[in-house]
Amino acid sequence: EPAAAASPPRLGAEPSARGPTAASAPLEVAALGPLRIGGTGREGAAADAWSAARTRELLVFLLLHPEGASKQEIGRALWPDASASQLRNAFHVALHRLRSALASTLGPDAGLGPDAGDGETVAVHAGRYRLHPALAAGFDVPCFEALARRGLAASAASGGGGLDDLLAALDLYRGELLAGEPAGEWHLARRDALEHLFLQALAAAGELLETAGRSAEACAVYRRWIAVDDLCELAYRRLMICLDDLGERPEALRVYRRLAAVLERELGVEPEAETRQVHEQIQRAARRSR
């Protein structure tokens, strides 16, 4: 297996302060953004163990499929062009390396227990390979999804709840799934779904922060929204309103000019009437304050 084109993941990374990752989780994997893998083993040995890109990819694939996957399903995802004999060899090499990397990262006192495969890190049942359930406790993807969905549901139900869950979800989302990793096309649909959920969480959190009078924090949320989707006019408009609330009218006007330039360059259109109206109101207020 060739060496990874990307840098190996950072080992021993601390979980987010807001994140729900269990403090006692034997393995911590942050796949939203640049991949980070940490555990209780010796950091130097663990870093060497994860130097192969395919080992890292197999780990995340299995974490994203907690119900398990067959050799054929894994093969189609990680080695789509391999022949049957090539797949057989590549799969067993990658599986061996994954088990070795987990052993190095977890150390001798991981305490996985007998829940799956008599404590094996990767067990096979009825032809399906899956990670020991305890290894998923420190995985950021399901934590992010649970927090974001709970926060969105609460904000929709009460019109004011869910903010803490949404902010915790935003803290966990450091970037696209497996950003910078040479992973196959299998992860793209999940990557896009996670980004869509992230954008929904940004919109809801920004609105709740505005309602609570926390305009500076709302501005930071809207700037993150624009950084991911720089054609979303709503995000620019809400940012302009928050900046106006903070008395930062020159910056609000600069945001409008940036939006107008982006829309003209990318789509050949001008901002919507509602956005132009907000711009004009801020301009008039800026003139009166001189």
Side-chain angles (χ1 to χ4, degrees):
E1 179 179 336
S7 299
R10 198 176 85 181
L11 274 289
E14 292 296 323
S16 166
R18 289 186 187 270
T21 313
S24 59
L27 181 71
E28 292 179 2
V29 179
L32 295 170
L35 184 61
R36 297 178 179 177
I37 303 172
T40 55
R42 291 188 299 112
E43 184 171 329
D48 291 341
W50 295 107
S51 61
R54 198 69 76 190
T55 307
R56 305 195 297 268
E57 186 176 8
L58 180 55
L59 170 67
V60 177
F61 181 91
L62 291 174
L63 283 168
L64 289 170
H65 295 81
E67 73 285 358
S70 68
K71 184 189 301 184
Q72 291 71 29
E73 290 168 334
I74 297 170
R76 284 194 297 269
L78 274 65
W79 299 276
D81 300 320
S83 66
S85 60
Q86 290 171 331
L87 170 59
R88 190 181 310 112
N89 180 66
F91 175 78
H92 286 294
V93 169
L95 183 61
H96 171 74
R97 289 180 176 176
L98 175 59
R99 285 172 168 151
S100 296
L102 286 169
S104 176
T105 303
L106 296 172
D109 301 317
L112 295 181
D115 290 346
D118 295 324
E120 286 187 56
T121 54
V122 185
V124 57
H125 297 278
R128 301 187 70 80
Y129 294 80
R130 69 184 183 105
L131 290 171
H132 191 287
L135 299 181
F139 185 35
D140 63 344
V141 170
C143 294
F144 164 76
E145 290 175 314
L147 284 166
R149 288 171 179 153
R150 192 169 67 198
L152 289 169
S155 65
S158 67
L163 180 57
D164 286 345
D165 282 337
L166 290 169
L167 293 178
L170 296 182
D171 274 357
L172 284 175
Y173 194 94
R174 299 174 299 114
E176 291 183 341
L177 178 67
L178 291 173
E181 285 289 309
E185 293 184 0
W186 65 267
H187 81 291
L188 298 181
R190 189 68 177 273
R191 179 200 68 185
D192 293 345
L194 288 165
E195 182 177 275
H196 180 68
L197 183 59
F198 172 61
L199 292 173
Q200 289 180 299
L202 284 170
E207 184 175 350
L208 291 171
L209 288 167
E210 281 190 73
T211 302
R214 296 160 64 175
S215 296
E217 293 171 84
C219 283
V221 167
Y222 292 138
R223 290 188 189 279
R224 285 189 74 183
W225 189 355
I226 291 167
V228 175
D229 184 3
D230 68 349
L231 291 174
C232 181
E233 190 164 338
L234 176 59
Y236 287 91
R237 186 163 62 241
R238 299 311 308 174
L239 175 58
M240 291 165 59
I241 292 170
C242 287
L243 288 168
D244 183 41
D245 289 341
L246 293 168
E248 298 182 21
R249 295 190 180 99
E251 177 62 18
L253 296 175
R254 282 193 289 272
V255 168
Y256 178 82
R257 290 194 292 271
R258 177 186 168 189
L259 168 64
V262 168
L263 291 178
E264 173 61 30
R265 182 179 68 249
E266 300 294 332
L267 302 176
V269 300
E270 63 179 11
E272 297 169 355
E274 185 177 354
T275 308
R276 297 199 304 272
Q277 183 179 9
V278 170
H279 174 245
E280 291 164 4
Q281 291 170 346
I282 296 173
Q283 272 190 322
R284 287 195 296 269
R287 285 195 292 267
R288 287 195 300 268
S289 65
R290 287 174 186 167

